[in-house]
Amino acid sequence: MTSNTAQLAAFAAGLRFEDIPAPVVSKIEDLLVDWFGSAVAGHGSRPVETITRFAQAMGPTQGPSEVIINGSRTTPYLAAMANAAASHVAEQDDVHNGSVFHPATVVFPPAVAVAQALGASGKQLLAASVVGYEVGIRVGEFLGRSHYRVFHTTGTAGTLAAAAAVGHLLGLNAQQMQHALGSAGTQSAGLWEFLRTAADSKQLHTAHAAAAGLMSAYLAKDGFTGAAEILEGQQGMAVGMSSDADPSRLVDGLGTRWATAETSFKYHASCRHTHPAADALLHVMQTNGLKLDDLAKVVTHVHQGAIDVLGPVVQPTTVHQSKFSMGTVLALVAQHGHAGLTEFDRDFLSQQTQALRDKVTMALDAEVDSAYPKRWIGKVTVTTTDGRVLHGRVDEPKGDPGNTLSRQEITDKALRLAAFSGGAKPEAMRQSVDALWQVATWPKVGALLS
Amino acid sequence: MTSNTAQLAAFAAGLRFEDIPAPVVSKIEDLLVDWFGSAVAGHGSRPVETITRFAQAMGPTQGPSEVIINGSRTTPYLAAMANAAASHVAEQDDVHNGSVFHPATVVFPPAVAVAQALGASGKQLLAASVVGYEVGIRVGEFLGRSHYRVFHTTGTAGTLAAAAAVGHLLGLNAQQMQHALGSAGTQSAGLWEFLRTAADSKQLHTAHAAAAGLMSAYLAKDGFTGAAEILEGQQGMAVGMSSDADPSRLVDGLGTRWATAETSFKYHASCRHTHPAADALLHVMQTNGLKLDDLAKVVTHVHQGAIDVLGPVVQPTTVHQSKFSMGTVLALVAQHGHAGLTEFDRDFLSQQTQALRDKVTMALDAEVDSAYPKRWIGKVTVTTTDGRVLHGRVDEPKGDPGNTLSRQEITDKALRLAAFSGGAKPEAMRQSVDALWQVATWPKVGALLS
């Protein structure tokens, strides 16, 4: 009789690089490079710089771990905090559809910071990162949709993902890993309420998850114990923070089903909930040769989660908030064919954007809702100014595993993100990305940004 | 139309030392000295030392703030983390009955660490501490009993209490304070699940609350924004973590009702839920001249919260767990007249203790349950070995405001705690306590342990 949590911990502790199938290794390399672009993209962002100033003020000014947005060094705890804050702000980091969880921003910052501190190899970093993905995604799936309605799963499940990745690097045994998960779960936090006033909390959630998860693993290594059943116990996470938790998800296909490989890259620079509808609108416009002025009305047919997260954002007043505005995202896509960071910054409040924004509505759709979160179907109904009613649909948005990005597209995206933020000079970024593609050959993980 | 949270934030930002009635100032001094003993009592405790090693490994080895258990220095963030871990482990720190919240362990560690970093005066420290108490207690009352059934209120409400106290020291204005509360609330965490396996999480909860709350206040000072309505909002703490939240409690008597003064000192070294029954048993035994061997059976008549927290602990295997065992606590009290740290360490598994422990049961009592958490009534029914059935009752356990400790008793308690842990030499502890009673005259808060 081994509990689900004990099985998950044993898997997390025991996974060896050699056990990971080659396509999954290749995918975690893709995800690492994709993440690196998002981390550099945090440079210059006010909330990110604020958290980084705090981390630097409270930590030592020397240390083994890199603060990516400014090249300084500190201890792994505070570097993980700063880098996790940085990695989610551009809204370009990856997502796992089924768990509605963004793994990269909470897995790679602590894993890289600790790998740098330990002098771990590139393969050790990759294996630990896979552990973080596999654990975090399963915890997110376990916590379910009721959890996501109030809690930011990337913050909550992310704390356990960070603990698992760091725990693997620290060589925790199965029992220690279970303690680390217990300590992580009891620090697990993050509420969506900040969206209503466009507050900075998202960056705090990822910073918190990375730092608290890392701390949990270090404590476990040093003998600190955590709840054995933090996920399923009578006073654990599911009872406190979910009403539809599914215990079977915690161990679903451990070692055979690779959740890492199911992870999607982001194409638009907005909340993932807007992407399927955006791609469906693009499809209608391209198929029918429509321009912005041809659109009289757009109804997006969405899942309940999209309404919960995006519904409160009616008239966004900041760039960040506009990334959670379905109308704004569709208006940018209709104008430019995509909604990138540059388009958001320049046009999120332009007259044209606002005009279409206010013609976009969301409606709950039974098919989309029941397919979600496993599949993110995009459906729109467009009414044109000349009275036509057109239907658009995509079954797999750009960036999903069946419609993924090539390594060239990932490289280009990372270079664009660095150029946008100014976080790295173009040549330095290119060298860093080129080197990072070779991470599996590194004897020791050093600074990522040379 | 100012929201409850905005009113609470404005109160927290605006309170001046001069506004605090003299008896409340006197009470916060009592609470500060009482807390100091508990902080020193953390010395040598494995979970406390583990968290402290982590804080010291991740922070600088120099800094303005004191790590109380070992006299080292670091930054306020990491000192607050270590000292908060230390202050709750002896289970001798204070409690506010109505909110089932332990304010000292989450308010004083961050407040003292930041006061040391800023060179704040003793009066500034006291005023900030009152702010922490007033905010944290009201948040705990707001979150209600449903919250406490799963969440450790000291960890959750404690994060906001720490943010409020530190925010006051940093001179946040009302708006910044509201942001600080938003950032604190969205990091708020702590689950009771750890009790089931006697894990170390309680020390992590207080460390987390103090550190995350302190961080929230520093971030707000630097312009970082938080949810405006983290407590009452549609995706805020109450929706996510409570089913009986009472918004009126957030502003109940702000500036006229001083929740600080309602705080109780702990007399027994155990979970507060055991104290009323322990005092009631003592009353029966003293009144009837009973000895341990006279007790055949003890039924404690308790509130549901006691059953929720203590119920899982049937056969404690560690000293810590035994402090959550109603039977163990009553057995120690029956043998020694009180259940102090020394008695727990020596006798928690003795044959005599186990024998009575297994004769003690808990039964839900309607009167006790409805009076709780405002009043903690103790009721027991004792069956003696010669067949008598005796009833015992206390309306206010020792340490409550109507049955409080004198300054001499607080001093003695602090000296005993230091002697128990070996965290300070007797003479040094006496000097420190004597000095701390004069805190209101200090121009600058320096090291507490000379």
Side-chain angles (χ1 to χ4, degrees):
Chain A
M1 280 300 291
T2 307
S3 76
N4 290 325
T5 304
Q7 289 177 56
L8 186 64
F11 169 81
L15 186 72
R16 300 171 310 163
F17 183 82
E18 298 70 33
D19 301 331
I20 307 171
V24 179
V25 172
S26 176
K27 180 73 181 233
I28 198 74
E29 292 169 346
D30 291 358
L31 295 165
L32 175 63
V33 174
D34 185 69
W35 159 75
F36 178 56
S38 281
V40 177
H43 172 86
S45 153
R46 181 188 49 76
V48 174
E49 298 283 355
T50 306
I51 289 174
T52 303
R53 271 195 298 278
F54 176 80
Q56 296 192 293
M58 295 301 163
T61 53
Q62 301 287 322
S65 302
E66 175 186 18
V67 177
I68 292 173
I69 65 163
N70 63 22
S72 67
R73 296 289 185 284
T74 185
T75 54
Y77 177 62
L78 295 157
M81 179 187 286
N83 294 337
S87 303
H88 201 43
V89 72
E91 301 282 351
Q92 289 280 268
D93 52 312
D94 62 21
V95 62
H96 181 270
N97 289 342
S99 51
V100 206
F101 168 62
H102 301 281
T105 185
V106 288
V107 169
F108 290 122
V112 167
V114 171
Q116 291 171 338
L118 300 176
S121 72
K123 284 182 180 171
Q124 289 177 305
L125 170 62
L126 293 174
S129 301
V130 169
V131 166
Y133 272 67
E134 298 296 321
V135 168
I137 288 167
R138 283 179 176 79
V139 170
E141 290 175 334
F142 161 76
L143 290 170
R145 295 172 69 170
S146 67
H147 177 76
Y148 187 74
R149 274 199 282 278
V150 182
F151 291 93
H152 182 196
T153 303
T154 300
T156 55
T159 313
L160 290 98
V166 173
H168 193 267
L169 281 164
L170 292 174
L172 300 188
N173 63 32
Q175 191 177 27
Q176 291 169 325
M177 185 67 84
Q178 195 169 351
H179 288 308
L181 296 180
S183 292
T186 207
Q187 296 183 81
S188 179
L191 295 156
W192 282 120
E193 180 60 26
F194 74 92
L195 288 178
R196 205 153 280 107
T197 46
D200 297 331
S201 311
K202 213 178 213 198
Q203 281 56 69
L204 182 58
H205 292 173
T206 53
H208 175 264
L214 180 152
M215 178 177 179
S216 300
Y218 272 81
L219 292 179
K221 179 75 176 176
D222 197 17
F224 196 89
T225 63
E229 296 300 333
I230 197 64
L231 292 156
E232 297 185 79
Q234 291 168 49
Q235 291 167 302
M237 288 180 74
V239 169
M241 304 158 85
S242 173
S243 59
D244 65 344
D246 179 353
S248 71
R249 306 310 300 267
L250 289 173
V251 293
D252 182 40
L254 275 181
T256 54
R257 169 201 162 207
W258 295 93
T260 304
E262 301 163 359
T263 306
S264 300
F265 299 98
K266 275 207 181 175
Y267 189 59
H268 304 294
S270 60
C271 175
R272 183 69 175 173
H273 289 300
T274 64
H275 293 204
D279 287 347
L281 176 63
L282 269 182
H283 179 70
V284 172
M285 293 181 71
Q286 287 163 356
T287 308
N288 296 279
L290 302 182
K291 299 219 167 74
L292 182 69
D293 293 343
D294 298 324
L295 306 175
K297 190 175 140 189
V298 179
V299 179
T300 63
H301 305 283
V302 299
H303 52 288
Q304 185 62 45
I307 293 172
D308 291 339
V309 173
L310 310 174
V313 186
V314 180
Q315 295 198 319
T317 56
T318 67
V319 170
H320 178 75
Q321 203 180 23
S322 75
K323 292 171 180 172
F324 290 83
S325 157
M326 180 67 94
T328 302
V329 174
L330 266 58
L332 293 175
V333 162
Q335 292 170 75
H336 307 294
H338 66 284
L341 292 177
T342 305
E343 289 72 25
F344 270 106
D345 265 24
R346 196 181 56 209
D347 292 341
F348 85 102
L349 272 186
S350 76
Q351 207 172 342
Q352 283 194 310
T353 300
Q354 290 195 51
L356 182 58
R357 180 192 77 199
D358 296 338
K359 295 174 185 163
V360 174
T361 56
M362 289 188 284
L364 183 64
D365 184 273
E367 183 203 6
V368 173
D369 193 56
S370 66
Y372 173 90
K374 188 152 192 189
R375 294 191 303 135
W376 293 50
I377 302 171
K379 282 166 75 172
V380 294
T381 301
V382 176
T383 307
T384 61
T385 46
D386 59 5
R388 285 176 289 164
V389 176
L390 305 168
H391 299 281
R393 178 188 180 101
V394 294
D395 281 303
E396 195 155 15
K398 175 76 172 168
D400 268 17
N403 188 11
T404 193
L405 306 188
S406 67
R407 288 202 163 186
Q408 188 58 54
E409 287 176 316
I410 293 169
T411 297
D412 291 346
K413 179 182 160 190
L415 297 178
R416 279 200 307 273
L417 285 168
F420 175 82
S421 75
K425 293 214 166 73
E427 191 46 40
M429 188 66 184
R430 177 169 292 282
Q431 283 176 13
S432 291
V433 169
D434 287 348
L436 196 54
W437 282 119
Q438 306 305 317
V439 65
T441 67
W442 294 4
K444 276 192 183 188
V445 176
L448 301 192
L449 198 54
S450 41
Chain B
M1 279 300 292
T2 308
S3 76
N4 290 325
T5 305
Q7 288 177 56
L8 186 63
F11 169 80
L15 186 72
R16 300 171 309 163
F17 183 82
E18 297 71 33
D19 301 330
I20 307 170
V24 179
V25 171
S26 177
K27 180 74 181 231
I28 198 75
E29 291 169 346
D30 290 357
L31 295 165
L32 175 63
V33 174
D34 185 68
W35 158 76
F36 178 58
S38 281
V40 177
H43 172 86
S45 153
R46 182 188 49 76
V48 173
E49 298 283 354
T50 306
I51 290 175
T52 303
R53 271 195 297 277
F54 176 81
Q56 295 193 292
M58 295 301 164
T61 52
Q62 301 287 323
S65 302
E66 175 187 18
V67 177
I68 291 173
I69 64 163
N70 64 21
S72 67
R73 297 288 186 283
T74 186
T75 54
Y77 177 62
L78 295 156
M81 179 188 286
N83 295 336
S87 304
H88 201 43
V89 72
E91 301 282 353
Q92 289 279 269
D93 52 312
D94 62 22
V95 61
H96 181 270
N97 289 341
S99 51
V100 205
F101 168 63
H102 300 281
T105 185
V106 288
V107 168
F108 290 121
V112 167
V114 171
Q116 290 171 338
L118 299 176
S121 71
K123 284 182 180 173
Q124 287 176 305
L125 170 61
L126 294 174
S129 302
V130 168
V131 165
Y133 273 67
E134 298 295 321
V135 168
I137 289 167
R138 283 179 176 79
V139 170
E141 291 176 333
F142 161 76
L143 290 170
R145 295 171 67 170
S146 67
H147 177 75
Y148 187 74
R149 275 198 282 276
V150 182
F151 291 93
H152 182 196
T153 303
T154 299
T156 55
T159 313
L160 290 97
V166 173
H168 193 267
L169 281 164
L170 293 174
L172 300 188
N173 64 33
Q175 192 176 25
Q176 292 169 325
M177 185 66 85
Q178 195 169 350
H179 288 308
L181 295 180
S183 292
T186 207
Q187 296 184 82
S188 180
L191 294 156
W192 282 119
E193 180 60 25
F194 74 92
L195 287 179
R196 206 153 280 106
T197 46
D200 298 329
S201 310
K202 212 178 215 199
Q203 281 56 68
L204 183 57
H205 292 173
T206 53
H208 174 265
L214 179 152
M215 178 177 180
S216 300
Y218 272 81
L219 292 179
K221 179 74 177 179
D222 198 18
F224 196 89
T225 62
E229 296 300 332
I230 197 62
L231 293 156
E232 296 185 79
Q234 290 168 50
Q235 292 167 301
M237 289 179 74
V239 169
M241 304 159 85
S242 173
S243 59
D244 65 343
D246 179 353
S248 71
R249 305 310 300 267
L250 289 173
V251 294
D252 181 40
L254 275 181
T256 55
R257 170 201 160 205
W258 295 93
T260 304
E262 300 163 1
T263 305
S264 299
F265 300 98
K266 274 209 184 173
Y267 188 60
H268 304 296
S270 60
C271 175
R272 184 68 174 174
H273 288 301
T274 64
H275 293 205
D279 287 347
L281 176 63
L282 269 183
H283 180 69
V284 172
M285 293 180 70
Q286 287 163 356
T287 309
N288 297 278
L290 302 181
K291 299 219 166 77
L292 183 68
D293 293 342
D294 299 324
L295 306 175
K297 189 174 139 191
V298 179
V299 179
T300 63
H301 305 283
V302 299
H303 53 286
Q304 184 63 45
I307 293 172
D308 293 339
V309 173
L310 309 174
V313 186
V314 180
Q315 295 197 320
T317 57
T318 66
V319 170
H320 178 75
Q321 204 179 21
S322 75
K323 293 172 179 172
F324 290 84
S325 157
M326 181 68 94
T328 303
V329 175
L330 266 57
L332 293 174
V333 163
Q335 292 170 75
H336 307 292
H338 66 284
L341 293 177
T342 305
E343 289 72 26
F344 271 106
D345 264 24
R346 196 181 57 209
D347 291 340
F348 85 100
L349 273 186
S350 75
Q351 207 172 342
Q352 283 195 310
T353 300
Q354 291 195 52
L356 181 59
R357 180 192 76 198
D358 297 337
K359 296 174 185 164
V360 174
T361 56
M362 289 188 284
L364 183 64
D365 184 273
E367 184 204 5
V368 174
D369 193 56
S370 66
Y372 173 90
K374 189 151 190 189
R375 293 191 305 135
W376 294 50
I377 301 171
K379 283 164 74 172
V380 294
T381 303
V382 176
T383 308
T384 61
T385 45
D386 59 5
R388 285 175 290 162
V389 176
L390 305 168
H391 299 281
R393 178 189 181 101
V394 293
D395 281 302
E396 194 156 13
K398 175 76 173 169
D400 269 17
N403 188 11
T404 194
L405 306 188
S406 67
R407 289 202 162 184
Q408 188 58 53
E409 286 175 318
I410 293 168
T411 297
D412 291 346
K413 179 181 161 191
L415 297 178
R416 279 198 309 271
L417 285 168
F420 175 82
S421 75
K425 294 216 164 75
E427 191 47 39
M429 188 66 184
R430 177 168 292 282
Q431 283 175 14
S432 292
V433 169
D434 287 349
L436 197 52
W437 283 119
Q438 305 305 317
V439 65
T441 67
W442 294 3
K444 277 192 183 188
V445 176
L448 301 192
L449 199 54
S450 40

